[in-house]
Amino acid sequence: MSVDFQSWVAAHQARFEEVLRGLLPRADISPQRLHEAMRYAVLDGGKRVRPLLAFAAGELVGAQAARVDVAAAAVELIHAYSLVHDDMPCMDDDVLRRGKPTCHVQYDEATALLVGDSLQTLAFQLLAEHRLNDDAARQLEMVRLLAAATGSRGMVGGQAIDLASVGKALTLPELEFMHIHKTGALIRAAVLLGAQCGSDTGRGSVSAEQLAKLDHFGKLIGLAFQVVDDVLDCEADTATLGKTAGKDADNDKPTYVSLLGIQGARDMAQRLHREALEILAGFGEAAQRLRELADFIVLRKF
Ligand code: GRG
């Protein structure tokens, strides 16, 4: 009998923490301060939602767990880099992240900039160094996928639109475009990378049709994640979130709550959740963890 969802999450989070510890440069290797700050930004914090999505997608197709670990680590390093840079004074200027002082507060701005830079390059180094799929062409496509999801047509592009939209009234399609890129692209990539950590034939193989469905699932759940994030920014407190609550309204940022109201945003998250679950219908029991993660993303309180 399979373990319950909470135990599955806890076991993967604990194991993945050790994976990250092993993949990050040791703090006693030069340059020590940079390496210490990289470890500070990545370890001991965060829900690890993106890695969990990669593990669940990997389990769905029967991918090799050790390969999924590497892909999930690459995604989490990109995510950690984005948080470090987003918190800097030139962007969101925040002092609290994952319940501790932000990287530039704990160290300094120049170090935080370099932490983000080196986490990003480490992510791609891992994808190039480790075997992720039996087929080299497929592995190259996975590297391309993460780069595209991260760059100016993905997360960074979404962040640029976000910075430019402060004080502006965006339409719903404009807001959706921003968030599909800023938050959604990496979540989508996590699902797709996890599902491709196998071989092109036999065990761990994934068909183009399955991949298209998982891509659609990732897109919907990535957007749902952001809608819920907007609601939590209004409703939850700083201690629960581990980051400063109420920042969006303080910064005069357009959000799903400012456009739709709290109930409207909640309804939208429910609709995206329902649609995401419908896409998984054809996968049967194999998609149980993805379903449970979709539930968690929409029902979470932090
Ligand atoms: C600076 C290049 C660059 C990009 C920044 C993702 C992002 C783009 C900024 C983060 C700011 C933010 C609060 C975005 C809203 C959604 C989001 C990504 C929240 C944080 O993700 P969680 O809740 O964080 O998964 P943990 O700490 O649990 O990993």
Side-chain angles (χ1 to χ4, degrees):
M1 202 169 101
S2 68
V3 293
D4 66 88
F5 179 62
Q6 301 291 349
S7 309
W8 181 84
V9 167
H12 277 283
Q13 284 173 334
R15 196 185 46 78
F16 187 60
E17 195 67 19
E18 294 316 306
V19 170
L20 288 172
R21 270 182 213 288
L23 292 173
L24 282 160
R26 281 183 7 214
D28 60 353
I29 294 173
S30 177
Q32 285 92 343
R33 185 175 159 82
L34 176 62
H35 290 159
E36 186 192 303
M38 288 168 73
R39 297 177 77 87
Y40 177 84
V42 175
L43 299 174
D44 301 320
K47 297 178 286 295
R48 313 294 192 206
V49 165
R50 294 153 195 79
L52 289 169
L53 283 165
F55 298 139
E59 285 183 21
L60 188 153
V61 300
Q64 298 178 25
R67 292 181 174 182
V68 185
D69 279 348
V70 175
V75 172
E76 187 66 12
L77 294 181
I78 297 283
H79 172 58
Y81 125 67
S82 80
L83 298 180
V84 169
H85 280 190
D86 183 66
D87 288 333
M88 290 181 68
C90 59
M91 295 215 195
D92 216 25
D93 192 10
D94 218 326
V95 295
L96 190 70
R97 172 69 66 182
R98 294 177 163 176
K100 23 183 218 188
T102 47
C103 192
H104 67 276
V105 169
Q106 183 73 13
Y107 293 90
D108 54 73
E109 275 183 50
T111 302
L113 193 67
L114 296 176
V115 163
D117 293 343
S118 41
L119 291 178
Q120 174 165 213
T121 47
L122 179 58
F124 289 103
Q125 186 183 332
L126 293 178
L127 296 189
E129 262 174 12
H130 296 258
R131 170 59 66 196
L132 300 177
N133 190 287
D134 292 348
D135 178 20
R138 170 81 72 151
Q139 176 151 353
L140 198 55
E141 165 54 21
M142 292 165 74
V143 179
R144 190 209 63 80
L145 190 144
L146 186 63
T150 302
S152 68
R153 304 291 302 274
M155 180 187 77
V156 172
Q159 177 78 348
I161 298 170
D162 190 9
L163 291 172
S165 69
V166 172
K168 289 195 183 142
L170 295 188
T171 63
L172 199 55
E174 285 170 340
L175 188 69
E176 188 168 304
F177 183 87
M178 174 174 91
H179 286 308
I180 279 176
H181 291 83
K182 180 183 147 183
T183 314
L186 200 56
I187 289 180
R188 206 167 162 182
V191 175
L192 289 178
L193 288 178
Q196 292 180 84
C197 290
S199 58
D200 254 14
T201 50
R203 185 176 175 270
S205 69
V206 59
S207 69
E209 191 195 342
Q210 285 176 316
L211 219 45
K213 282 188 180 172
L214 289 173
D215 188 31
H216 195 185
F217 168 81
K219 184 176 176 186
L220 290 168
I221 214 63
L223 192 55
F225 183 94
Q226 183 59 55
V227 178
V228 172
D229 208 72
D230 285 357
V231 171
L232 290 174
D233 189 66
C234 291
E235 290 200 323
D237 56 51
T238 298
T240 309
L241 292 179
K243 61 179 181 180
T244 314
K247 282 285 282 195
D248 295 334
D250 289 351
N251 291 344
D252 199 14
K253 278 191 174 178
T255 66
Y256 287 99
V257 174
S258 67
L259 250 74
L260 303 173
I262 288 269
Q263 193 52 48
R266 278 216 197 92
D267 292 346
M268 181 171 173
Q270 291 299 339
R271 184 171 52 74
L272 291 165
H273 179 220
R274 222 175 19 250
E275 287 174 19
L277 293 183
E278 279 165 20
I279 291 165
L280 296 181
F283 287 111
E285 268 302 295
Q288 189 52 25
R289 295 305 181 206
L290 277 183
R291 282 189 200 96
E292 289 166 336
L293 278 168
D295 298 345
F296 167 75
I297 283 170
V298 173
L299 299 173
R300 72 199 162 99
K301 301 277 178 256
F302 59 97

